[in-house]
Amino acid sequence: MALNQLQSAIAAKVQASGTSFYSAMRLLPAERRNAMYAIYAFCREVDDIADEGGSLEAKRAGLEEWRAEVDRIYAGAPQKPIAQALLTPVKTFGLRKQDFLAVIDGMQMDAETTIVAPDLATLDLYCDRVASAVGHLSVRAFGCTEPEADEVAHHLGRALQLTNILRDLVEDGERGRLYLPKELLEQHGIPYADPMAVVRHPKLKKVCRDVAILALDHYSKARSAMDRCAKGPMRPAAIMGAVYRAILKRLIKADWRKPDEPVKLPKWQKLWLAFRYGFL
């Protein structure tokens, strides 16, 4: 498949995925936009390996094959279509090998272990791998060159992932997973052997409020670092942060009284945030 056909196919998949990041990606110039689509497609590919059914051996083999494919990208000889789409962005924008490998390491945490009430240090490591590492790749694709850009990736990645955790409690619980930290569950006297029992526990909102405070602190630190970067290249990150922070605010307002009710932003609000942080 020719490169332009491959890029078009990947872009169509990203759009079809319904990701909240799509509108932010579309603000980028074509070359940088294609880089972000390829990064997103890579993340979806390895995430599917970790999340879909199959034996542990098969998941390990799939992730190990992607580690080998990352090596092939940096050797200039990728084989998989998504890896081929990453070849030019890696060379042009200086995407770091260590960040791709960190994403795979994060997916391996999900593949090898059913995560239930990790301690705070493990939760932070997980967020660093599955979210902040993606941020480190993204800020380079955006064209952010300041040292503070990696600070944005560090904090915004954690903020987004903690927001996802607070939003997806029921979905994760039904898969036997619980990402709320052990220390906070113990502090509020919530047993955590059964993830769905935690979701139904009357003190759940107390733990969620504490995690929300951690997330808001990361949003604040990410915003502060953004303000020390050039505004133009940082616009997609600003939109992502604004959208997810608004989702977190809605979760806080709902106070996790009905955690099985999905919390989403109306389309008008997404458009307003994209306009405000993308053009104003």
Side-chain angles (χ1 to χ4, degrees), residues 10 45 124 212 270:
I10 290 174
E45 186 86 1
D124 189 69
K270 288 183 181 179

Side-chain angles (χ1 to χ4, degrees), residues 194-205:
D194 178 358
M196 284 307 294
V198 174
V199 173
R200 294 189 293 266
H201 199 282
K203 293 182 180 179
L204 171 70
K205 61 185 178 181

Side-chain angles (χ1 to χ4, degrees), residues 71-93:
D71 286 338
R72 288 191 284 268
I73 292 172
Y74 285 85
Q79 297 176 3
K80 298 177 183 292
I82 291 171
Q84 291 168 2
L86 283 167
L87 184 58
T88 297
V90 162
K91 293 177 179 178
T92 305
F93 304 127

Side-chain angles (χ1 to χ4, degrees), residues 217-246:
D217 182 57
H218 283 300
Y219 281 117
S220 177
K221 289 175 178 175
R223 183 71 251 180
S224 177
M226 281 183 204
D227 290 341
R228 302 195 300 275
C229 297
K231 184 177 180 180
M234 196 54 76
R235 281 174 179 157
I239 293 172
M240 293 175 189
V243 168
Y244 268 73
R245 191 175 186 275

Side-chain angles (χ1 to χ4, degrees), residues 46-67:
V46 294
D47 184 52
D48 287 346
I49 292 171
D51 278 350
E52 289 181 356
S55 67
L56 175 57
E57 291 75 15
K59 292 181 180 184
R60 281 176 174 165
L63 293 173
E64 200 58 40
E65 173 57 25
W66 261 107
R67 285 194 180 88

Side-chain angles (χ1 to χ4, degrees), residues 9-268:
I10 290 174
K13 286 185 177 181
V14 174
Q15 183 178 11
S17 72
T19 174
S20 299
F21 299 151
Y22 181 70
S23 59
M25 295 180 195
R26 290 187 65 190
L27 291 177
L28 294 165
E31 192 174 20
R32 295 187 183 280
R33 184 169 65 245
N34 286 327
M36 278 305 304
Y37 290 163
I39 291 168
Y40 180 84
F42 160 79
C43 294
R44 284 297 301 265
E45 186 86 1
V46 294
D47 184 52
D48 287 346
I49 292 171
D51 278 350
E52 289 181 356
S55 67
L56 175 57
E57 291 75 15
K59 292 181 180 184
R60 281 176 174 165
L63 293 173
E64 200 58 40
E65 173 57 25
W66 261 107
R67 285 194 180 88
E69 187 68 1
V70 169
D71 286 338
R72 288 191 284 268
I73 292 172
Y74 285 85
Q79 297 176 3
K80 298 177 183 292
I82 291 171
Q84 291 168 2
L86 283 167
L87 184 58
T88 297
V90 162
K91 293 177 179 178
T92 305
F93 304 127
L95 306 185
R96 302 183 306 189
K97 182 178 181 180
Q98 69 201 57
D99 296 322
F100 286 109
L101 295 177
V103 174
I104 296 172
D105 288 341
M107 301 309 171
Q108 188 138 7
M109 291 175 74
D110 269 329
E112 294 198 343
T113 308
T114 301
I115 298 178
V116 175
D119 58 47
L120 281 163
T122 301
L123 176 61
D124 189 69
L125 175 62
Y126 178 76
C127 291
D128 186 69
R129 288 174 169 176
V130 302
S132 293
V134 181
H136 291 304
L137 293 167
S138 299
V139 293
R140 285 162 174 77
F142 296 160
C144 306
T145 58
E146 303 88 351
E148 290 85 356
D150 277 322
E151 190 177 342
V152 173
H154 175 94
H155 289 294
L156 187 57
R158 284 161 167 79
L160 300 182
Q161 190 62 31
L162 290 174
T163 301
N164 280 334
I165 287 168
L166 291 170
R167 183 190 61 186
D168 298 336
L169 290 168
V170 172
E171 180 182 338
D172 290 333
E174 289 173 344
R175 295 153 76 181
R177 295 175 178 175
L178 176 68
Y179 295 96
L180 298 177
K182 175 175 65 175
E183 292 93 333
L184 297 180
L185 291 163
E186 291 177 345
Q187 178 183 322
H188 292 290
I190 302 177
Y192 47 80
D194 178 358
M196 284 307 294
V198 174
V199 173
R200 294 189 293 266
H201 199 282
K203 293 182 180 179
L204 171 70
K205 61 185 178 181
K206 294 184 177 182
V207 177
C208 292
R209 289 171 188 168
D210 289 345
V211 175
I213 289 171
L214 295 176
L216 288 170
D217 182 57
H218 283 300
Y219 281 117
S220 177
K221 289 175 178 175
R223 183 71 251 180
S224 177
M226 281 183 204
D227 290 341
R228 302 195 300 275
C229 297
K231 184 177 180 180
M234 196 54 76
R235 281 174 179 157
I239 293 172
M240 293 175 189
V243 168
Y244 268 73
R245 191 175 186 275
I247 291 172
L248 179 60
K249 287 288 190 179
R250 283 183 169 247
L251 287 165
I252 293 169
K253 185 176 180 180
D255 205 21
W256 293 276
R257 287 182 290 269
K258 297 179 180 179
D260 55 336
E261 289 188 0
V263 172
K264 297 180 180 179
L265 296 185
K267 188 174 182 180
W268 69 263

